Amino acid sequence: MQSATLTKVTRNGQMTLPAAARKALQIEEGDYVEVRVSEDSLILTPKRLIDKSQAYFWSAEWQTAEREASDDIASGRVREFDKADDLITSLNKARRRKR
């Protein structure tokens, strides 16, 4: 853990985050920082806003499926098809086998 740096609270409760902290956490102008109070401390956590139309991608379920897909690709558990009809035929056969 890095050493602490002292910063001054100015008018309207503003303060400057030290450059070393901004660099370490990759905080840039315009970024958002969550502020939480914990007993006698402030906890600052960098946050990114996600467009509502993209929020599904970051759900736990979607990220689990992404990891599974990546594992399948890395392990070679994939097939390629030259035609969409061939893909559909393969999917139908797999569905019939599961019944």
Side-chain angles (χ1 to χ4, degrees), residues 25-37:
L25 296 173
Q26 300 175 348
I27 298 173
E28 298 176 358
E29 182 177 343
D31 285 352
Y32 286 87
V33 177
E34 176 184 78
V35 179
R36 281 185 285 131
V37 176

Side-chain angles (χ1 to χ4, degrees), residues 14-77:
Q14 296 179 353
M15 65 181 182
T16 300
L17 294 175
R22 291 192 315 267
K23 183 177 180 182
L25 296 173
Q26 300 175 348
I27 298 173
E28 298 176 358
E29 182 177 343
D31 285 352
Y32 286 87
V33 177
E34 176 184 78
V35 179
R36 281 185 285 131
V37 176
S38 176
E39 297 180 22
D40 63 345
S41 299
L42 287 178
I43 301 170
L44 305 176
T45 307
K47 294 291 181 176
R48 301 265 184 223
L49 296 182
I50 300 170
D51 187 279
K52 189 174 181 178
S53 68
Q54 300 297 309
Y56 72 90
F57 183 82
W58 301 105
S59 69
E61 296 84 6
W62 193 275
Q63 287 300 300
T64 297
E66 285 289 327
R67 282 189 293 280
E68 289 174 5
S70 293
D71 290 346
D72 285 344
I73 292 167
S75 298
R77 292 186 300 265

